[in-house]
Amino acid sequence: MTTDRPQKPDTDATAAPEVTSEAADVTAPATDGGTAPETDGGTAPETDGGPQKPVEPVVPEPVEPVVPLAPVAPKDRRVLRAVLRWTAVVTVFATLGAGTAYGITRMERTDVPGLATGSDGRWAYPEITRPPLPSGSPRPFDTKNWAMAHYADLRGLLLPAPEGATDDKALRGADGWLPTKDFLNVFEAKEDRDQVGQLLTDNGLRHTAARGWTTPDGTGTRVYLLQFDTGTVADRVYGKLTSYGGPLYAVRGATEAQFDDEYPTAADPGSLIRYSYDEVKPYGAEQLRQAYLRAGDVIALVLQSRKGTAEAVPFQQTVTLQSQLLG
């Protein structure tokens, strides 16, 4: 008679699961009978439900030991409080320093005490604009303007005085036009005045406009604009007044002058011709600088003098701005 209980498996046919060294140290849970299953035979323990699956070992996670804090001595507490106070002070000063540095970087250089950039000697001029041209008229260096004529009002092409300067009303003349004889007074010798006067007459001088001023430091400036019929005529007269070595007629205050090699040529407009001169040392009571410009049908003479020495920067600035107005 057969029973329903399954036969004991053949140990040769079914191999027991391999057990690691760690699993061998873990005790399997007890059965209902209170005894642990046998493992010496190398086979899985018998149960009513069939062969039992191998038990995976449970490895406990390591636990760090809790180390009790050592009591803080009263002296150590005082040291700790002092360290915390100084840390807070350093943090506050670091924050304030960062804010101050940010504030300085956001300020203009001239607003920061001790860092303000000193003046380089340039004057403060008002806003400078060219006078309007008559409708349909070209500019002097336009390719369609064969005469290189300035069609704008010559008086509007004069450089205005810088801020704070005192205007020289004697140079305004009647209605802004200066008589030729008043212009000729810039030359020292009577013979020179006669020769230049004849030169202007022979070449049909049309107008002379002038302006002058004196700045608070005592620098005196005079600007003369002489207009002819065409650029060709103006160029011929320009060649009779100037040379590379020096002006051909000495002006009052500088009996001898020479070409100023230190004048920056990069400031000259492309279509304008300029000769600038400096008084030869030793100077008299004043140093005088002068420049002749030729722009189309206009010749400009810029004179600037000052007791002792005349600074180069305001002179170059004045000549450059007047050149741009004529360009």
Side-chain angles (χ1 to χ4, degrees):
M1 183 176 179
T2 61
T3 63
D4 297 333
R5 184 175 181 180
Q7 298 295 325
K8 185 176 181 181
D10 189 0
T11 59
D12 296 332
T14 305
E18 183 178 356
V19 181
T20 63
S21 60
E22 293 181 354
D25 294 337
V26 179
T27 305
T31 61
D32 294 342
T35 60
E38 296 179 357
T39 58
D40 295 339
T43 60
E46 296 181 0
T47 61
D48 293 340
Q52 185 179 1
K53 295 181 179 180
V55 179
E56 296 182 0
V58 179
V59 181
E61 296 181 358
V63 179
E64 295 183 0
V66 179
V67 181
L69 296 175
V72 181
K75 181 178 179 180
D76 295 336
R77 291 194 185 97
R78 290 194 299 270
V79 174
L80 179 59
R81 285 196 297 269
V83 171
L84 292 176
R85 283 197 301 269
W86 280 108
T87 301
V89 171
V90 171
T91 302
V92 170
F93 275 99
T95 303
L96 292 176
T100 303
Y102 174 79
I104 290 178
T105 58
R106 299 295 298 174
M107 296 173 66
E108 297 293 337
R109 182 176 178 85
T110 53
D111 296 335
V112 182
L115 294 181
T117 302
S119 173
D120 59 0
R122 286 180 294 178
W123 291 338
Y125 280 92
E127 183 178 358
I128 300 174
T129 57
R130 293 188 181 95
L133 289 171
S135 179
S137 299
R139 296 187 57 173
F141 297 108
D142 193 299
T143 55
K144 297 179 180 180
N145 189 351
W146 63 269
M148 294 182 287
H150 286 81
Y151 291 100
D153 191 323
L154 188 66
R155 293 165 293 185
L157 295 175
L158 279 168
L159 182 67
E163 297 178 3
T166 303
D167 189 41
D168 186 355
K169 297 180 180 180
L171 290 180
R172 291 187 178 182
D175 298 328
W177 300 117
L178 185 72
T180 303
K181 61 180 181 64
D182 291 344
F183 165 71
L184 294 175
N185 285 330
V186 303
F187 300 104
E188 180 71 35
K190 181 181 183 302
E191 181 182 356
D192 290 347
R193 293 195 295 271
D194 293 340
Q195 291 183 9
V196 174
Q198 190 62 47
L199 176 67
L200 299 180
T201 300
D202 293 343
N203 287 275
L205 175 65
R206 295 175 56 193
H207 305 293
T208 300
R211 177 168 293 158
W213 61 82
T214 302
T215 54
D217 67 347
T219 302
T221 304
R222 289 168 289 167
V223 180
Y224 302 90
L225 302 183
L226 291 78
Q227 189 172 30
F228 299 86
D229 286 334
T230 66
T232 302
V233 176
D235 186 62
R236 182 168 58 246
V237 176
Y238 186 81
K240 298 291 185 178
L241 295 174
T242 64
S243 70
Y244 179 79
L248 298 181
Y249 299 95
V251 299
R252 293 181 185 272
T255 55
E256 188 177 357
Q258 63 185 2
F259 188 81
D260 186 2
D261 292 322
E262 297 181 358
Y263 191 99
T265 58
D268 296 336
S271 300
L272 184 139
I273 300 174
R274 173 196 55 82
Y275 278 152
S276 59
Y277 307 104
D278 191 8
E279 184 179 356
V280 176
K281 294 181 179 180
Y283 308 140
E286 297 182 335
Q287 179 189 2
L288 187 142
R289 297 178 183 270
Q290 53 186 307
Y292 284 86
L293 313 173
R294 206 273 289 174
D297 61 344
V298 174
I299 294 176
L301 173 60
V302 180
L303 302 174
Q304 194 168 98
S305 60
R306 181 173 178 266
K307 185 177 181 179
T309 58
E311 300 296 334
V313 171
F315 173 71
Q316 295 169 3
Q317 180 191 16
T318 302
V319 173
T320 299
L321 293 176
Q322 183 60 70
S323 300
Q324 292 175 351
L325 276 171
L326 295 173

